[in-house]
Amino acid sequence: MRLDRYLANMGCGSRSEVKLLIKNGKATINAVMIKDPAFQVSPDHDQVCLNGQPIVFQRFFYLMMNKPAGVITATEDLKATTVLDLIETRYHNKDIVPVGRLDKDTEGLLLLTNDGELNHNLLSPKKHVDKCYFAKIDGWVTSGDQEAFAKGIVLDDGYCTLPGKLEVTFEGPISEVMITIREGKFHQIKRMFQALGKKVLYLKRISMGSLVLDPDLAPGEYRELTKDEIEALTR
Ligand code: URA
């Protein structure tokens, strides 16, 4: 990897800013000053410093976002705001993508990463990763609805979902529920309720496997995962 790319990728500035720093003799590789921005660095073997400070290479990035409503789960779009638009530029050009998809009007936990293996493992139906959602439902949710979720529900296209869990946390004309499912079919929860003759009014993802949405993140905010959160997810 070129030295200027290494430094820009590690958040030391834009490509042109780091080029200037390198030309001004601020960068060293294994304690030798390097003034050529195109100099090749081996991220796993070389020690790179900028202004005397070690710049440790981070290959994978893991961001937890509280996705707000009105933003689409995509990396780019000509018209709509995407979740990537909410991320600082220092995380751009790192092949970070959302893990799975939340609908435009769905809020809550969205993991973004450039760790392709983790992305695959979290989404693969074979790995049975539980995804937990809070929802408000128009109407009273019945024990019959709960039994239907426990059995699996036939959707509008004939697909029968895997068994899920439906807990009622508030009984009323607008019910509040927690739903746990292991799949991520298109509009799955909305279509499961639709099959039961009910409408989802509000949907928020709370957890995905071991990863739980940080309650300190306001909609639209994000943070890097902690070491413990990464270890629990990749275990
Ligand atoms: N199920 C849905 O219907 N929508 C989502 O965004 C996630 C799960």
Side-chain angles (χ1 to χ4, degrees):
M1 182 186 290
R2 286 172 59 115
L3 176 58
D4 56 356
R5 179 152 179 248
Y6 179 106
L7 291 173
N9 275 5
M10 290 309 107
C12 299
S14 67
R15 199 75 175 256
S16 50
E17 284 165 350
V18 298
K19 262 186 191 155
L20 205 61
L21 290 167
I22 296 165
K23 284 182 183 159
N24 287 338
K26 306 289 183 196
T28 58
I29 298 178
N30 305 324
V32 178
M33 186 194 293
I34 303 292
K35 287 187 157 187
D36 175 11
F39 195 92
Q40 288 294 310
V41 183
S42 166
D44 294 327
H45 301 108
D46 291 330
Q47 201 206 34
V48 179
C49 290
L50 190 66
N51 294 318
Q53 297 300 312
I55 307 297
V56 179
F57 189 68
Q58 187 180 346
R59 193 173 297 280
F60 294 126
F61 293 83
Y62 305 88
L63 302 176
M64 171 198 293
M65 176 183 283
N66 183 358
K67 179 194 167 296
V71 170
I72 63 167
T73 311
T75 51
E76 54 186 4
D77 193 88
L78 287 178
K79 288 192 214 130
T81 305
T82 71
V83 289
L84 258 286
D85 292 332
L86 303 182
I87 304 277
E88 288 160 85
T89 47
R90 70 192 178 98
Y91 290 115
H92 293 183
N93 304 323
K94 292 189 176 63
D95 303 322
I96 289 176
V97 295
V99 177
R101 196 174 282 259
L102 292 177
D103 296 339
K104 189 172 179 183
D105 58 354
T106 302
E107 296 183 2
L109 176 65
L110 186 69
L111 176 65
L112 298 112
T113 184
N114 57 351
D115 181 341
E117 194 181 335
L118 177 71
N119 192 330
H120 172 78
N121 286 341
L122 287 174
L123 295 183
S124 166
K126 287 190 202 120
K127 306 276 176 176
H128 290 297
V129 175
D130 282 344
K131 287 122 195 152
C132 190
Y133 296 81
F134 167 77
K136 291 186 185 178
I137 309 297
D138 194 7
W140 296 75
V141 170
T142 65
S143 54
D145 296 331
Q146 290 177 291
E147 281 159 25
F149 263 77
K151 272 200 235 140
I153 293 176
V154 179
L155 302 181
D156 45 8
D157 58 359
Y159 175 77
C160 184
T161 69
L162 289 174
K165 195 163 131 196
L166 173 61
E167 293 166 273
V168 180
T169 54
F170 178 79
E171 290 180 43
I174 293 184
S175 308
E176 294 185 3
V177 298
M178 294 295 293
I179 302 131
T180 307
I181 55 173
R182 293 178 163 186
E183 301 162 285
K185 303 279 174 216
F186 183 64
H187 295 331
Q188 179 156 345
I189 291 177
K190 291 174 187 160
R191 288 162 70 211
M192 288 172 92
F193 277 102
Q194 189 188 43
L196 301 174
K198 296 198 163 71
K199 192 167 186 260
V200 175
L201 299 176
Y202 173 81
L203 189 59
K204 178 177 183 175
R205 183 155 63 194
I206 304 298
S207 66
M208 191 171 188
S210 60
L211 191 64
V212 180
L213 179 65
D214 183 337
D216 289 338
L217 289 177
E221 289 184 344
Y222 63 92
R223 65 159 171 82
E224 289 202 25
L225 296 197
T226 63
K227 227 171 140 228
D228 286 351
E229 285 169 334
I230 297 168
E231 267 172 26
L233 270 185
T234 49
R235 208 176 287 141

